[in-house]
Amino acid sequence: MKRGLLIAGGIGAGVGLGVAVAAAARRRRRLQKAPPPLERRADRCPADLEPRGEAEGVVFRAYSPPNPGPHPIVLMHGRGGSEDLMFDALADIALPAVQFYPRGPLAMGRHFAWAQPRSTAPAWPDDQAKAVEGMRRFIAWVGRCYGKPIVAGHSQGAQMAFGMAVAYPELLHAAVGASGALTPALWRRPGVPVVAVHGTEDGVVPVEGTRRMRDELGVEIVEVEGHGHSLLAGLKAAFVEQLVRA
């Protein structure tokens, strides 16, 4: 079912194809290939969750509230962000779940990214696919140790969350993203519930890309009227509301 919702507040997304049909098909086939089996060892699950850690090659921050719900949340920062900036952005929100804030693999000075920006490389869809693959083992570790997670993110982190939903839905409970849209070359109907929150005045990732995801992939979209790209005010409130509902 195609669904849409408009909330007074706002933010937007959009990306163009810019790739040949044959290349897009190759990328889809690569994501559809069966991944190697994951090692399942209970002794790799820590008895106590530390505030900072590393698992499956991914550095992260973590927080466990009292009496967390059954589904942890993995919250991915945008390009030029970090695990600390994402943690701080949501520090005033009492999310009722164990939370993981992973660090992107690409260093940008003191900050990080998940993949190179699409404006500097025609290989952007390939870079994005590789970044999604790179998070697979970490997401599986979270699920094995803490419960099947909700993957979420802002901007490039939202693109990562959407990419996980189409590539590895068996590892997820749901996906929620803000201010991001998945590269069309990687589009497939997601195998888990997906909600895209977007400001209508986003000048970085225009909302039209998210609307296309709604129309062609059937994902739910929450538009926040009058808001831009940053995870602030009404956009942040709508994002958190969807995390709690997921």
Side-chain angles (χ1 to χ4, degrees):
M1 179 188 301
K2 300 176 182 177
R3 296 190 292 175
L5 177 64
L6 181 64
I7 289 183
I11 189 158
V15 273
L17 275 169
V19 291
V21 172
R26 286 196 299 272
R27 295 179 185 112
R28 291 192 186 96
R29 286 197 297 271
R30 191 178 68 163
L31 280 178
Q32 288 173 325
K33 287 172 60 179
L38 288 164
E39 187 177 8
R40 294 187 175 276
R41 290 174 49 197
D43 61 357
R44 297 181 68 181
C45 298
D48 297 303
L49 183 60
E50 298 293 332
R52 294 182 184 273
E54 182 174 351
E56 303 295 350
V58 176
V59 175
F60 64 87
R61 258 185 102 159
Y63 175 71
S64 182
N67 304 313
H71 299 290
I73 305 175
V74 177
L75 293 138
M76 292 173 278
H77 61 77
R79 180 175 179 269
S82 70
E83 72 276 24
D84 291 328
L85 290 175
M86 193 66 177
F87 181 89
D88 291 344
L90 297 172
D92 60 333
I93 303 297
L95 290 170
V98 174
Q99 298 149 47
F100 292 90
Y101 298 81
R103 176 190 296 174
L106 300 183
M108 299 177 59
R110 296 167 56 186
H111 299 111
F112 301 90
W114 299 99
Q116 294 295 335
R118 62 186 173 84
S119 59
T120 64
W124 165 245
D126 287 325
D127 290 344
Q128 195 171 34
K130 289 176 184 176
V132 168
E133 287 178 17
M135 280 294 285
R136 181 183 69 87
R137 297 190 75 89
F138 178 75
I139 296 297
W141 173 81
V142 172
R144 185 169 63 246
C145 295
Y146 301 96
K148 191 169 283 191
I150 300 162
V151 293
H154 173 249
S155 192
Q156 199 177 81
Q159 296 167 346
M160 288 289 293
F162 300 148
M164 292 297 302
V166 301
Y168 306 116
E170 70 280 3
L171 299 180
L172 312 181
H173 175 67
V176 179
S179 307
L182 184 63
T183 301
L186 304 181
W187 278 2
R188 292 203 311 275
R189 281 193 172 266
V192 293
V194 173
V195 181
V197 179
H198 219 114
T200 59
E201 302 301 321
D202 191 335
V204 179
V205 183
V207 70
E208 285 73 19
T210 300
R211 290 170 178 165
R212 288 183 62 198
M213 286 175 56
R214 173 197 61 199
D215 295 341
E216 304 211 14
L217 303 182
V219 307
E220 182 176 352
I221 178 174
V222 176
E223 294 190 20
V224 189
E225 188 176 4
H227 278 266
H229 189 73
S230 298
L231 195 61
L232 299 170
L235 182 68
K236 177 178 172 180
F239 177 61
V240 169
E241 180 180 0
Q242 296 307 315
L243 288 176
V244 173
R245 287 183 174 182

